Amino acid sequence: MRITGGQVFDLEQGFIARDVYTDGPLISTASGDETVLDASGCCVIPGLVDVHFHGAVGEDFSDATPEGLQKIADYELSQGVTYLCPAGMTLPEDQLTAICKNTAAHQKKKAGGAEVVGAHLEGPFLSAAKKGAQNGAFLHDPDISMLKRLQEAAEGCVKLVTLAPEQPGAMEFIREAVSMGIAVSLGHTTADYDTAKTAFEAGANHTTHTYNAMPPFVHRNPGVIGAAFDSGAFAELICDGVHIHPSVVRATFRLFGKERMLLVSDTMRAAGMPDGNYTLGGQAVIVKGPLCTLEDGTTIAGSATNLMTCMRTAVSFGVPLADAVRACTFNPAQSIGIESRAGTLDAGKEASIVLLNQEDLAIRKIIFKGETVPA
């Protein structure tokens, strides 16, 4: 296939006028396929990569059901999100094991929808003081033996784990996790600057939903955010118009730079569904418009959006489109180690491509591994 006439995302140059060729499931320098796709009036971008979300269309990753995970994958692909690293919640080990086994089984099926490239364990290695919407009854100190059991159940599918670095055993846990090929993110934490800096030096590479469930960035106490800035870490940001003020979104992109920003959706099962009562990690959640809260009405519990909408929202807040695209594609792919096959439109990468109308960024066409996705 030859995709011609569009403005094509380039990691270094932003958007440029060039053709994109696909040859079967890969992007190539030429194509034996004579099909021509006119992308005039479109931005041509890589398929998005979400490394932190919990569910959609009434289903929750933590339920660990094959049917639910398939529905989530199908929905996400329909929104231009082509690679998924869904997040589990703070739950008992037996349920975390079921989540891991379900992820591994889903990968083997290759049943369509967005590719589930791995699992993100957002809990249970978190701080009780900053648990947010996590269930405090199941919190656990960092336990590398538990992580190894879960990774075995997942058949190597665990790609990312969030932890609070002030918890006992955290530094040893980080070093061991990184040696296993698992990225470590700091979140749901009360850590000060020095503790967080030590954790990044031990191998942590990212912050979980920056600003949320961590100490604020204060001029005399810069905390996790200051340590992440000084350490070259990635910074996740939920850009749903609820979690973070537009001014802070703009400022954070300036602070960390386009190379280190990760947009995530933190979507829960209410995405793609009407307002109403739902659950997240076994806890009741009330959804009204874009706001999802626990029953107390004050604790934010994920979002009801998707990553493509978050990208558009970031652009509406003043983030340059090329920077927002990078934060939804190459950077998250790089953060979990799949950048060799996803995240850019370079030859040799998988041909997962989204065409967006230049005027409103509405989806015009989705191509997943060389195949056009039915509208």
Side-chain angles (χ1 to χ4, degrees), residues 229-247:
F229 171 72
D230 283 343
S231 301
F234 292 105
E236 285 186 8
L237 211 60
I238 307 169
C239 196
D240 61 350
V242 173
H243 282 78
I244 308 291
H245 190 280
S247 177

Side-chain angles (χ1 to χ4, degrees), residues 76-257:
E76 294 292 335
L77 183 57
S78 77
Q79 303 303 309
V81 186
T82 53
Y83 300 96
L84 311 176
C85 188
M89 296 288 286
T90 296
L91 294 162
E93 186 175 349
D94 61 349
Q95 187 60 25
L96 294 174
T97 300
I99 292 167
C100 290
K101 288 182 176 180
N102 191 47
T103 305
H106 179 86
Q107 285 191 338
K108 291 175 183 177
K109 285 193 305 183
K110 302 185 184 301
E115 182 183 350
V116 178
V117 295
H120 173 181
L121 301 179
E122 191 182 355
F125 311 120
L126 313 175
S127 164
K130 289 290 185 180
K131 63 183 176 61
Q134 303 281 342
N135 191 331
F138 304 120
L139 291 173
H140 200 291
D141 285 341
D143 183 338
I144 196 64
S145 295
M146 180 190 290
L147 180 63
K148 288 178 178 178
R149 291 192 296 271
L150 293 173
Q151 183 68 306
E152 183 178 1
E155 300 180 36
C157 290
V158 176
K159 296 292 187 186
L160 177 63
V161 60
T162 293
L163 91 164
E166 71 276 17
Q167 298 300 105
M171 300 307 166
E172 180 183 358
F173 180 100
I174 293 169
R175 286 188 285 270
E176 285 287 327
V178 171
S179 74
M180 294 164 59
I182 299 172
V184 177
S185 185
L186 307 189
H188 291 277
T189 174
T190 62
D192 60 13
Y193 174 90
D194 291 334
T195 302
K197 189 71 162 55
T198 301
F200 288 121
E201 290 168 353
N205 76 338
H206 141 194
T207 58
T208 295
H209 44 50
T210 307
Y211 301 106
N212 297 108
M214 65 180 59
F217 183 38
V218 181
H219 64 295
R220 289 193 180 92
N221 297 291
V224 174
I225 299 164
F229 171 72
D230 283 343
S231 301
F234 292 105
E236 285 186 8
L237 211 60
I238 307 169
C239 196
D240 61 350
V242 173
H243 282 78
I244 308 291
H245 190 280
S247 177
V248 179
V249 172
R250 292 188 292 271
T252 306
F253 267 83
R254 292 282 188 91
L255 178 66
F256 281 86

Side-chain angles (χ1 to χ4, degrees), residues 1-3 18-24 26-32 345-349:
M1 179 187 296
R2 176 188 174 203
I3 303 172
R18 72 171 178 89
D19 291 347
V20 176
Y21 295 92
T22 68
D23 190 2
L26 300 179
I27 296 171
S28 60
T29 55
S31 178
L345 298 177
D346 298 328
K349 297 288 185 78

Side-chain angles (χ1 to χ4, degrees), residues 303-373:
S303 80
T305 184
N306 60 69
L307 187 58
M308 185 65 76
T309 300
C310 289
M311 189 189 79
R312 295 188 191 104
T313 301
V315 173
S316 76
F317 288 170
V319 174
L321 177 60
D323 294 353
V325 170
R326 179 173 180 144
C328 293
T329 55
F330 180 76
N331 292 355
Q334 186 180 38
S335 78
I336 60 168
I338 64 165
E339 73 276 14
S340 64
R341 61 188 184 95
T344 70
L345 298 177
D346 298 328
K349 297 288 185 78
E350 292 178 351
S352 297
I353 305 165
V354 182
L355 275 61
L356 303 175
N357 289 331
Q358 288 180 335
E359 292 182 358
D360 58 3
L361 302 183
I363 294 173
R364 177 90 66 86
K365 184 80 68 176
I366 300 168
I367 299 163
F368 181 53
K369 299 184 181 182
E371 298 290 335
T372 299
V373 176

